[in-house]
């Protein structure tokens, strides 16, 4: 397959061409084994959270690391993750250490790292939207010249993707952990005189319930670009369903009794603790 380029338009609606040396997807990530605590990790366990992150990284590397991909890849990770992150990506894409105290600073610093490397069109995303298609990423990169900002909002006010074409402190005013991050971004863009190109609405994977939504999303599409993620999500959901069914089988029709030696053991790492009715 030949080289793929992104069609874009400037404010005079003159067609320009964006190549891989100009456009980049900057993925804000961490090594799967050193991810910070999150709602999702607390619900499914750190081991499954790491498995899911590893699958998402592998899929992104496969999708955007191919020669025919229309943009380059840049992994923006904490400095301590730089040394061994290539083992997760299979050596695909450039890796840069980004030191930042909070998500706002991290998004700004990741954008700056991309521009410092000579890219002129930068799309940023985390690991919480593995189902967002390649075409949506390319669309964001292609529209940014016309608007100054192209972004995708989740259905709970999250931001799953944002593209810019110049260094900015745009994300400094965004509360990424709050309920209105997308609104914050719109306000921040307006203050800086930027127009916005909203992308198709979607959702971000932030908790265990979102894994079910993600599995349903994959099942509705004939072509799934993130096959590793799809498989891992199915396995995680199946494991929890199996635990739930076994728990019902063990207790159905039985009177409450003193806990056995086995039941007094601490819950296994990588699984959330299930409280009994007497503990609640």
């Amino acid at each position: 397959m030949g080289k793929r380029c992104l069609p874009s338009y400037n404010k005079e609606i003159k067609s320009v061409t964006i190549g891989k040396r100009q456009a980049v997807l900057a993925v804000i990530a961490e090594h799967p084994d050193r991810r910070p605590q999150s709602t999702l990790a607390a619900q499914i366990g750190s081991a499954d959270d790491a498995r899911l992150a590893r699958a998402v990284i592998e899929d992104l590397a496969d999708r955007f690391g191919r020669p025919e991909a229309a943009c380059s890849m840049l992994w923006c990770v904490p400095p301590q993750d730089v040394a061994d992150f290539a083992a997760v990506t299979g050596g695909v894409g450039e890796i840069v250490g980004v030191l930042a105290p909070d998500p706002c600073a991290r998004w700004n610093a990741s954008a700056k790292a991309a521009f410092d490397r000579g890219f002129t069109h930068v799309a940023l995303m985390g690991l919480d939207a593995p189902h967002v298609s390649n075409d949506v990423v390319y669309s964001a990169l292609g529209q940014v010249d016309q608007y100054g900002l192209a972004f995708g909002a989740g259905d709970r006010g999250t931001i799953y993707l944002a593209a810019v074409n110049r260094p900015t402190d745009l994300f400094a005013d965004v509360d990424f952990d709050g309920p209105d991050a997308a609104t914050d971004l719109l306000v921040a863009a307006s203050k800086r005189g930027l127009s916005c190109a909203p992308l198709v609405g979607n959702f971000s994977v932030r908790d265990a319930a979102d894994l079910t939504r993600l599995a349903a999303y994959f099942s509705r599409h004939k072509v799934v670009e993130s096959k590793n993620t799809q498989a891992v999500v199915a396995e995680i959901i199946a494991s929890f369903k199996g635990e739930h069914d076994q728990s019902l089988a063990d207790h159905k029709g039985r009177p409450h009794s003193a806990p056995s030696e086995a039941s007094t053991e601490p819950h296994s790492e990588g699984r959330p603790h299930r409280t009994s009715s007497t503990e609640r």
Side-chain angles (χ1 to χ4, degrees), residues 259-275:
S260 66
E261 180 181 351
S263 66
T264 58
E265 294 179 355
H267 66 284
S268 59
E269 185 177 354
R271 286 287 185 270
H273 178 57
R274 270 73 168 173
T275 57

Side-chain angles (χ1 to χ4, degrees), residues 6-10 16-26 70-72 111 114-115 118-124 137-146 148 162-167:
L6 297 170
S8 182
Y9 300 89
N10 60 23
V16 299
T17 299
I18 307 170
K20 294 185 71 167
R21 292 189 178 185
Q22 292 80 41
V24 66
L25 173 62
C71 65
S72 298
F115 287 118
F119 294 105
T120 59
H121 297 69
V122 179
L124 301 113
V137 174
Y138 297 151
S139 176
L141 289 165
Q143 293 184 62
V144 72
D145 276 335
Q146 185 176 359
V164 291
N165 64 350
R166 66 188 64 180

Side-chain angles (χ1 to χ4, degrees), residues 20-77:
K20 294 185 71 167
R21 292 189 178 185
Q22 292 80 41
V24 66
L25 173 62
V27 181
I28 300 168
E30 309 85 18
H31 192 284
D33 298 333
R34 294 188 290 273
R35 283 169 58 77
Q37 188 58 256
S38 65
T39 299
L40 180 61
Q43 292 173 336
I44 69 174
S46 58
D48 277 341
D49 183 65
R51 285 179 63 211
L52 178 60
R54 191 176 296 274
V56 173
I57 292 168
E58 290 172 352
D59 282 331
L60 289 174
D62 178 64
R63 290 163 52 187
F64 294 97
R66 297 178 180 180
E68 65 269 24
C71 65
S72 298
M73 282 208 76
L74 180 66
W75 303 97
C76 301
V77 303

